Amino acid sequence: MKRYDLIVIGAGLAGLMAARTAVEMGARVLIAGGGMGALTLFGNTIDVLGRIPPGEDIAEGMSGFIDSFPEHPYARTGWEGVEKALDAFQELFPPPYHFSGVTRGNCLLPTGAGTMRPTFLIPATMASGVGMMPASTLVVGFRGFKDFQAETVSLHLRCRGAVIPFPRYRMGGMTAPAIARLMEDHSFVERLGEEIYQRMEGERFIGLPAFFGLREPVAAMKTLEAATGARVFEISILPPSIPGMRIYNRFHERLLQRGTAFLMGTPVSEAIVKDGRCRGIIVKNAPLGAGYQADRFILATGRFLGGGLWAGIERIVEPLFHVPVAQPSRRGEWFKGRFFDPEAHPVSQAGVETAADLRPLNEKGGIFLENLWAAGSILAHHQSIEEKSREGIDIATGYMAARQALAS
Amino acid sequence: MDYKTEVVIIGGGATGAGIARDLALRGIPSILVERGDFTSGASGRNQGLLHSGARYAVYDPEAARECVAENRILRHIAPHCIEPTGGLFVSLPEDGFEFRGEFIRACENAGIETVSLSPREALALEPGINPLLIGAVQVPDGAIDPFTLVVENIRDAESRGAVVFTHTEATGFLRDGDGVAGVVVRDLLEKKEFTISASWVINAAGAWANRILALAGLSIPMSLSKGSMLITNTRLSQRVLNRCRPPASGDIIVPNSTVSILGTTSLRVDAVESFEVLPEEAAFLVYELSLLVPEIKSERFIRAYAGVRPLIRSGETDDDRSLSRGFSLIDHQKENGISGLVTIAGGKLITCRLMAEKTVDFLCEKMGLRAPCTTAEQRLPGAGIGRSLQDRLLHMRREIPAARQEILCDCELVPRDEVEAVLKEGKVRELRDILHRTRIAKGTCQGGFCVYRLLGMLNELRRERNRGDSNEILMDFLEERWRGIRPILWGTALKEEELIESIYKGLFNLSGELSGGQEAGERGRR
Ligand SMILES: Cc1cc2nc3c(=O)[nH]c(=O)nc-3n(C[C@H](O)[C@H](O)[C@H](O)COP(=O)(O)OP(=O)(O)OC[C@H]3O[C@@H](n4cnc5c(N)ncnc54)[C@H](O)[C@@H]3O)c2cc1C
């Protein structure tokens, strides 16, 4: 049986980042994921800490934040840890499809609900959305593509909106992945550009749903810009997320090139633990079960959606290792009375507590297993949805967990 | 503008709607006012059981006989609102056989057909039942769709001249000496007041009856009981399942199209709008009913909701004024010396036609009018048109050319054309009205995806434009949705809720706090 230096459980952004970091350090890595994680559902831009107002220096904002929330995952990595991890992330995305920040702080991007949303690093295809001026912007949606409602976006952004039929196909019921494939066809994109040009009234910016293809989105954008004479940008839409899939694909490609083994589709069903160490994992792919061994393990299985946490009627558990989960004392306290309470629901803060080196803790506050680290949203004491910190936490803790694990 | 008519009905639940139809069929002009949309009261917050009468057979034979008769009538006039599933009364070991014997005899006396089944026979019909059962009795229970029933009664009444105002609240009475001569009402959306003068005012406000009476300085002895229910994601059984024991809390499962409804609890409350389902009520229902169907323990739920039952304290009412122990018709002239005002309250969804008949009979007698009731024979306008998921699929395949078919709601397969048709009818005044009239947002995601699409479509049709911020409507919807799902969030439901939160609070940034303060972003705030 092949033995790995590191097995990463979970193929979301945290797991991918951990695997990539370990591979760069020369480790033999296996990554085992049930699915592709929240990344391919909502990953668009890279949030670090959206609650820091744009214009404020992010380094300063982060150190203030870490001081106020000493249990937050960022308190483990520190701002330096986040910065280094983000550099490593950005290295994976050389131009044309690169990620960049506009300043040393957050910027605001329009969303599929027509709100403005703060974020830190944005892909090239969304960059023009930052400087967008409502009075000279046209937002274009497509008849039959229901996951982006151009009229809602334009109503709230106070710009002009148009809903047009898809060129050539003129049919409804299209999904973003299907359209993304069409967008890889140059002549289709040209037609699309012409149709949009027909609708323009001198606008200088064009907002479109984020479906500019998986492989060469910047080329599609350039084609549209040539046809319309305007700056074109993508706007995030209901899941799944094409920009998120681009990130996944890039990691996947690079990791495969470096010999990382991927085990996708079936969740890890069991962990073999002996004498305070994890010895291996079992993936049951009925009727067979296969075992995999490694010296170190990283748990990056996400929250409820990813399967990293599971809520019974009364208690929340971590189903694979049964790592203790910090949580409210009873279900009556899991949620706030209002959905849009400015504070996160207490259940969102539930998760795995770790030592300073990201190793999960047992009930007594000791190390749970000698060779197990945790990364990503499964960690306790963050409010990634409200804070807008999902990708930042994934990237920074994935990076740190891998370095810690390989240093041992 | 002020109005004048013969009869004003307060309340657009099953009772008020039934009265409007009955009056219209007898040629008596009426105006109905409803504070919300139809079925915003108990008629939209019940378990949807088409009683065979079996549930009342032992302790309330009179109510049981009423159910037998009304059950038969509804099957004739409203077959499209009914699923004749049949029902089982299941005896578990802890129930014993004592109640069962009495139950079968009582059903016989009330004219309810029963078939006794062995455990093996019962399990062959319903494999999900607890295999430890000791026996079961089959009865002709069924499921009823209250939304369609009420809306169809209203449609029929309107087509025969009745006038209906939704989102219009009765706020006071027009007085004429000692009598009542109509009502003062307020259009809650336009924020305008007007009056409707009438010879008779019927208080059919259900649990709100005393709020209405208070406007005339009156009250009836009534207490309120909240009942909570849970909706499962899948249909657990083909038939209605009851425990064969004296009726109690948490002992009945009613199938409804593709889901099942678990019920109910019973908690005394003071406020009529006590619609919150407590986490412990949800846990109680899951535990109790998993004794009947064990797989409930791992079932996914899609929503919890509660309704308030008005309980008329019969000890304090005269015997002669309650026409039945199930409901009361109160003539306030006789009772309090105030003429022109009648209260009809209590009963069941399935006895609403009968309640309407008795009310209108009473009015006719007072008016000296000889017009017989025909609601038991005349079928509702939609009778003969199917309503099940299969029917909708068939309809879609037949009516909508594939190329134009755009599905707004993926869980319940509601096409965009259906919503456009509802909009064309012109009765829709707010988002919730559309939700009442279609299956949108009734499926697994509870509108998490489709309401964004629905609002986009409305924005496109410019219907909501002059109503201002559609994100505010979206947030209100999500707040209301939250009340329904919060009590059942564990397991898979919680998992999927993380998706919805990630979309609306995360991706779309519709949340309390927001950095930035750009104008466009500002509007995402509350
Ligand atoms: C938990 C529960 C479960 C039930 N299960 C079943 C069942 O399975 N089968 C069955 O047959 N029956 C069942 N019932 C009973 C049934 O739901 C009710 O008997 C029936 O719906 C009552 O209808 P209604 O029109 O009298 O009252 P409601 O439906 O409550 O209608 C009253 C209406 O008056 C309106 N109103 C109030 N104040 C004003 C005002 N000032 N101006 C204008 N309008 C006003 C309200 O908005 C409301 O729409 C159940 C009831 C409950 C609570």
Side-chain angles (χ1 to χ4, degrees):
Chain A
M1 187 187 293
K2 195 167 170 188
R3 201 181 163 84
Y4 295 91
D5 298 317
L6 172 69
I7 291 180
V8 177
I9 308 165
L13 186 54
L16 292 169
M17 194 63 202
R20 145 98 188 167
T21 306
V23 163
E24 291 296 307
M25 295 171 73
R28 277 177 313 161
V29 179
L30 170 76
I31 181 163
M36 296 193 290
L39 177 61
T40 54
L41 294 172
F42 328 104
N44 283 283
T45 62
I46 304 302
D47 291 348
V48 171
L49 192 61
R51 49 179 274 167
I52 299 175
E56 199 171 293
D57 186 81
I58 193 143
E60 270 169 42
M62 280 285 272
S63 56
F65 177 79
I66 288 169
D67 287 346
S68 338
F69 298 97
E71 292 186 302
H72 194 280
Y74 282 153
R76 302 278 183 266
T77 64
W79 167 242
E80 313 72 51
V82 178
E83 242 185 338
K84 263 193 234 130
L86 287 175
D87 285 345
F89 172 84
Q90 275 172 290
E91 266 170 32
L92 262 180
F93 294 88
Y97 193 73
H98 66 291
F99 282 82
S100 58
V102 177
T103 51
R104 289 282 302 160
N106 284 314
C107 53
L108 291 170
L109 272 186
T111 73
T115 52
M116 297 302 282
R117 182 183 188 288
T119 190
F120 190 59
L121 294 179
I122 49 182
T125 48
M126 292 188 167
S128 297
V130 179
M132 168 218 69
M133 282 173 295
S136 55
T137 299
L138 174 67
V139 173
V140 182
F142 297 88
R143 182 134 299 129
F145 179 59
K146 55 198 175 197
D147 291 339
F148 179 77
Q149 296 291 339
E151 296 289 351
T152 298
V153 179
S154 63
L155 171 72
H156 296 110
L157 289 180
R158 302 206 178 157
C159 62
R160 217 162 63 79
V163 179
I164 67 174
F166 272 113
R168 198 185 301 166
Y169 297 90
R170 300 198 179 273
M171 54 194 258
M174 304 270 276
T175 63
I179 300 164
R181 267 194 299 281
L182 283 178
M183 293 291 287
E184 258 135 43
D185 171 352
H186 183 70
S187 67
F188 177 82
V189 182
E190 275 184 328
R191 270 288 296 281
L192 183 64
E194 280 160 30
E195 300 249 357
I196 294 171
Y197 184 66
Q198 309 282 319
R199 270 33 175 225
M200 286 172 68
E201 292 174 6
E203 282 89 359
R204 288 162 45 218
F205 293 90
I206 309 280
L208 286 166
F211 56 33
F212 290 3
L214 287 168
R215 262 171 287 165
E216 294 187 349
V218 175
M221 180 180 82
K222 291 261 156 71
T223 307
L224 290 171
E225 291 189 333
T228 58
R231 306 288 299 271
V232 172
F233 58 93
E234 289 190 305
I235 302 175
S236 54
I237 59 174
L238 286 185
S241 162
I242 301 300
M245 291 182 191
R246 291 174 199 146
I247 297 176
Y248 179 87
N249 287 354
R250 179 66 54 90
F251 271 101
H252 186 104
E253 223 168 80
R254 293 295 146 87
L255 285 167
L256 283 183
Q257 278 168 10
R258 306 290 298 263
T260 302
F262 271 78
L263 205 62
M264 296 291 291
T266 317
V268 174
S269 50
E270 212 180 302
I272 304 159
V273 171
K274 221 174 115 198
D275 303 329
R277 292 182 71 84
C278 179
R279 308 288 163 169
I281 55 167
I282 293 175
V283 177
K284 280 212 184 83
N285 210 338
L288 297 172
Y292 301 86
Q293 296 185 343
D295 300 326
R296 311 161 184 84
F297 297 81
I298 291 180
L299 182 65
T301 42
R303 302 186 65 73
F304 301 102
L305 194 57
L309 299 176
W310 173 257
I313 298 188
E314 299 300 341
R315 299 293 293 164
I316 298 164
V317 297
E318 186 285 300
L320 187 57
F321 289 93
H322 305 287
V323 178
V325 175
Q327 58 189 291
S329 60
R330 43 185 203 92
R331 189 162 68 90
E333 290 163 17
W334 287 5
F335 307 105
K336 298 271 182 186
R338 285 184 36 213
F339 182 74
F340 284 111
D341 196 292
E343 289 284 312
H345 300 300
V347 73
S348 314
Q349 307 235 25
V352 169
E353 289 183 320
T354 69
D357 64 358
L358 291 183
R359 278 187 295 173
L361 299 177
N362 62 24
E363 255 105 16
K364 294 186 207 93
I367 298 298
F368 182 76
L369 292 176
E370 277 309 308
N371 59 343
L372 179 69
W373 287 260
S377 58
I378 193 173
L379 296 170
H381 309 304
H382 63 82
Q383 314 181 3
S384 62
I385 295 177
E386 284 75 10
E387 292 160 4
K388 312 273 179 304
S389 60
R390 189 197 300 265
E391 291 82 12
I393 291 176
D394 281 347
I395 290 172
T397 57
Y399 180 84
M400 173 174 167
R403 297 184 73 90
Q404 291 287 343
L406 290 178
S408 71
Chain B
M1 195 178 119
D2 295 331
Y3 293 81
K4 193 169 175 3
T5 184
E6 195 53 33
V7 181
V8 166
I9 305 156
I10 304 173
T15 309
I19 293 171
R21 175 174 192 245
D22 196 322
L23 286 167
L25 279 166
R26 299 199 216 190
I28 303 168
S30 74
I31 296 181
L32 181 148
V33 293
E34 163 56 49
R35 193 175 55 162
D37 189 16
F38 310 118
T39 71
S40 38
S43 304
R45 298 173 165 278
N46 58 69
Q47 208 177 359
L49 170 66
L50 177 73
H51 287 275
S52 62
R55 216 175 143 75
Y56 303 112
V58 172
Y59 295 99
D60 197 345
E62 198 176 331
R65 266 188 291 273
E66 260 170 30
C67 287
V68 173
E70 289 305 308
N71 183 312
R72 200 169 295 138
I73 291 170
L74 283 169
R75 283 171 201 254
H76 170 63
I77 65 166
H80 56 309
C81 303
I82 284 169
E83 205 186 323
T85 59
L88 297 182
F89 276 72
V90 177
S91 301
L92 297 180
E94 56 267 45
D95 300 329
F97 271 140
E98 208 175 311
F99 181 78
R100 179 184 150 113
E102 201 182 345
F103 172 75
I104 294 174
R105 268 193 308 283
C107 282
E108 233 158 63
N109 291 338
I112 302 161
E113 204 185 313
T114 59
V115 181
S116 298
L117 303 176
S118 70
R120 183 123 60 85
E121 288 166 326
L123 284 169
L125 293 178
E126 293 294 351
I129 301 179
N130 186 343
L132 298 176
L133 85 163
I134 55 177
V137 181
Q138 193 168 0
V139 299
D141 278 344
I144 183 159
D145 168 8
F147 299 95
T148 314
L149 183 70
V150 172
V151 169
E152 287 262 306
N153 267 286
I154 293 281
R155 263 192 201 142
D156 199 28
E158 281 186 304
S159 75
R160 297 168 197 276
V163 175
V164 172
F165 295 113
T166 54
H167 302 287
T168 302
E169 179 176 30
T171 54
F173 286 109
L174 295 175
R175 299 300 294 257
D176 174 13
D178 278 343
V180 159
V183 287
V184 183
V185 301
R186 186 174 169 73
D187 182 327
L188 298 175
L189 297 184
E190 303 289 334
K191 310 207 182 330
K192 268 197 235 124
E193 212 157 77
F194 57 95
T195 63
I196 308 170
S197 33
S199 314
W200 289 92
V201 176
I202 300 176
N203 172 12
W208 289 268
N210 267 334
R211 290 248 190 107
I212 304 294
L213 291 175
L215 301 172
L218 304 176
S219 76
I220 52 173
M222 185 168 101
S223 46
L224 304 172
S225 155
K226 180 181 78 166
S228 295
M229 291 148 282
L230 306 181
I231 306 179
T232 57
N233 192 38
T234 57
R235 181 167 169 151
L236 301 172
S237 61
Q238 289 314 305
R239 292 163 189 74
V240 176
L241 301 178
N242 283 273
R243 285 285 286 277
C244 196
R245 65 178 191 198
S249 289
D251 64 353
I252 171 161
I253 302 171
V254 182
N256 183 311
S257 159
T258 58
V259 302
S260 290
I261 304 173
L262 273 49
T264 67
T265 58
S266 174
L267 288 177
R268 280 297 165 99
V269 288
D270 295 325
V272 192
E273 279 100 0
S274 304
F275 295 143
E276 195 197 345
V277 178
L278 306 171
E280 49 272 29
E281 284 182 286
F284 168 82
L285 288 173
V286 169
Y287 174 76
E288 280 294 316
L289 287 159
S290 67
L291 301 175
L292 194 52
V293 175
E295 76 192 61
I296 283 177
K297 275 242 157 90
S298 50
E299 174 66 22
R300 146 145 215 213
F301 294 87
I302 60 177
R303 192 159 67 89
Y305 64 106
V308 173
R309 312 175 181 93
L311 300 176
I312 298 178
R313 288 198 294 265
S314 50
E316 292 162 60
T317 46
D318 297 339
D319 271 355
D320 65 348
R321 79 174 174 194
S322 47
L323 288 166
S324 139
R325 289 166 59 191
F327 60 86
S328 313
L329 175 67
I330 300 155
D331 170 7
H332 292 285
Q333 162 130 60
K334 192 169 156 206
E335 214 52 48
N336 319 94
I338 292 182
S339 64
L341 179 64
V342 169
T343 294
I344 175 84
K348 315 252 155 304
L349 185 70
I350 81 149
T351 56
C352 282
R353 192 214 59 84
L354 179 65
M355 291 161 72
E357 175 178 340
K358 298 289 181 200
T359 310
V360 180
D361 280 353
F362 171 82
L363 289 191
C364 284
E365 193 193 310
K366 290 285 175 184
M367 292 172 180
L369 209 73
R370 299 245 316 257
C373 174
T374 56
T375 53
E377 294 86 40
Q378 297 244 25
R379 306 177 88 199
L380 286 170
I385 300 170
R387 65 171 191 103
S388 66
L389 184 65
Q390 287 92 317
D391 291 329
R392 278 202 300 286
L393 278 168
L394 270 178
H395 170 80
M396 257 169 46
R397 222 171 291 147
R398 241 182 285 127
E399 307 285 320
I400 305 164
R404 283 183 49 230
Q405 174 168 308
E406 182 183 337
I407 306 294
L408 279 182
C409 172
D410 295 315
C411 307
E412 294 289 313
L413 291 176
V414 183
R416 183 183 165 117
D417 302 39
E418 186 179 327
V419 178
E420 285 186 359
V422 169
L423 291 173
K424 251 183 233 131
E425 253 185 27
K427 289 275 142 79
V428 169
R429 299 190 63 189
E430 54 167 37
L431 177 71
R432 222 170 305 160
D433 298 354
I434 301 178
L435 302 182
H436 270 161
R437 284 163 182 75
T438 64
R439 297 279 314 158
I440 285 192
K442 307 231 163 46
T444 309
C445 84
Q446 290 288 293
F449 281 81
C450 48
V451 167
Y452 168 73
R453 299 166 179 164
L454 180 60
L455 283 168
M457 172 185 161
L458 294 180
N459 285 332
E460 201 183 319
L461 299 174
R462 314 276 154 166
R463 268 170 210 276
E464 295 290 332
R465 275 247 150 150
N466 41 12
R467 290 265 159 72
D469 195 330
S470 83
N471 279 343
E472 227 156 71
I473 302 174
L474 180 60
M475 289 171 78
D476 282 346
F477 169 81
L478 290 168
E479 247 359 300
E480 179 154 328
R481 171 183 181 276
W482 180 245
R483 281 194 280 278
I485 60 168
R486 191 173 89 118
I488 50 91
L489 287 183
W490 65 81
T492 314
L494 180 57
K495 193 168 161 154
E496 277 161 32
E497 193 54 19
E498 196 180 305
L499 179 72
I500 300 298
E501 266 198 60
S502 300
I503 293 172
Y504 291 102
K505 295 191 194 175
L507 199 57
F508 287 170
N509 198 28
L510 292 166
S511 49
E513 277 175 82
L514 187 91
S515 40
Q518 269 202 1
E519 199 204 346
E522 199 79 40
R523 314 189 70 211
R525 289 195 201 181
R526 267 308 256 184

